[in-house]
Amino acid sequence: DAVADANVYDPAADAWTSLPPLPAPLGSISVAPLDGKLHLVGGRNAHSVGTHTVFDPAMKRYTTAAPLPVGRDHMGLVPYGGKLYAIAGRIDDFNHNTSYVDVYDPKTNRWTAGAPMPSQRSGMAVTLYHDRILAIGGEYSGGTFTNNEAYDPRTNAWLSLARLPEGRHGTGAAVIGDALYLPAGAPVNGGSRQSDTLFVFKQS
């Protein structure tokens, strides 16, 4: 279910504290930092939404910004070059995956369209790696994706990279040094099975 709870973790104290709740309950929301603030984009309540809320950690206050052109959830959201990149996602369920790329410029408070992703996916792991935005895995009504596709914001173009050994969704990606780590997730669509594998991707 959608919730409005917000919490912050302090690693030095190994403790969580509460933040002001979201203006409205949401689930499957995408969050990314930009210019010292947190942008909360998309998500769902009863249906997918295009909501764009900005949280100021210093003031502990929410404001609204330009909404997504098409509301969706389970999408990627990555900052690069002073802008935000909203990657793919779904409209209501994984039977309605999208390939949208929307680019938000905080200077103009506007979204513009980028080159769409070659595949329609949601529930992917999305992260910045070697100045490209990688979208890895995801789910659809018949299973999970092994796709590993990279978007270059400098050229507004996609390319395909080495696929996952096995399909995954519902996981994240973290970059440490020259390696991208993709832990666990689910090998089938939905939540009936989980995995304890760790995939590592490197590109020279």
Side-chain angles (χ1 to χ4, degrees), residues 19 31-40 52-57 62-63 84:
L19 293 172
V31 182
L34 186 66
D35 298 332
K37 298 178 181 178
L38 293 176
H39 288 250
L40 296 76
H52 181 181
T53 303
V54 183
F55 179 69
D56 185 335
Y62 295 96
T63 57
L84 286 177

Side-chain angles (χ1 to χ4, degrees), residues 29-35 37 39-41 52 68 72 75-88 100-106 111 124-136 149-153 158 172-175 180:
I29 193 171
S30 299
V31 182
L34 186 66
D35 298 332
K37 298 178 181 178
H39 288 250
L40 296 76
V41 183
H52 181 181
L68 275 173
R72 55 197 193 271
M75 71 178 183
L77 188 66
V78 176
Y80 181 84
K83 298 179 180 180
L84 286 177
Y85 291 79
I87 309 295
Y100 297 126
V101 172
D102 293 307
V103 186
Y104 177 73
D105 187 341
W111 293 90
M124 313 148 293
V126 181
T127 192
L128 186 68
Y129 179 74
H130 285 190
D131 286 317
R132 294 190 177 108
I133 298 171
L134 270 61
I136 308 168
E149 293 164 344
Y151 176 77
D152 190 333
W158 287 88
V175 176
L180 185 155

Side-chain angles (χ1 to χ4, degrees), residues 5-179:
D5 298 347
N7 299 279
V8 61
Y9 176 70
D10 183 346
D14 187 26
W16 291 88
T17 55
S18 296
L19 293 172
L22 302 181
L26 285 172
S28 305
I29 193 171
S30 299
V31 182
L34 186 66
D35 298 332
K37 298 178 181 178
L38 293 176
H39 288 250
L40 296 76
V41 183
R44 60 178 294 119
N45 41 46
H47 298 284
S48 300
V49 299
T51 305
H52 181 181
T53 303
V54 183
F55 179 69
D56 185 335
M59 301 295 293
K60 291 186 171 54
R61 184 176 62 189
Y62 295 96
T63 57
T64 58
L68 275 173
V70 177
R72 55 197 193 271
D73 58 87
H74 285 81
M75 71 178 183
L77 188 66
V78 176
Y80 181 84
K83 298 179 180 180
L84 286 177
Y85 291 79
I87 309 295
R90 67 181 69 163
I91 300 171
D92 287 346
D93 58 46
F94 51 55
N95 292 302
H96 301 92
N97 284 341
T98 75
S99 59
Y100 297 126
V101 172
D102 293 307
V103 186
Y104 177 73
D105 187 341
K107 294 179 181 178
T108 60
N109 189 35
R110 290 183 58 198
W111 293 90
T112 56
M117 191 163 65
S119 55
Q120 296 177 326
R121 288 187 282 148
S122 64
M124 313 148 293
V126 181
T127 192
L128 186 68
Y129 179 74
H130 285 190
D131 286 317
R132 294 190 177 108
I133 298 171
L134 270 61
I136 308 168
E139 66 177 331
Y140 62 102
S141 60
T144 55
F145 289 94
T146 59
N147 299 41
N148 179 11
E149 293 164 344
Y151 176 77
D152 190 333
R154 300 162 298 183
T155 62
N156 189 34
W158 287 88
L159 73 157
S160 294
L161 301 176
R163 288 177 173 268
L164 286 169
E166 184 180 43
R168 285 289 183 277
H169 78 95
T171 180
V175 176
I176 302 175
D178 196 45

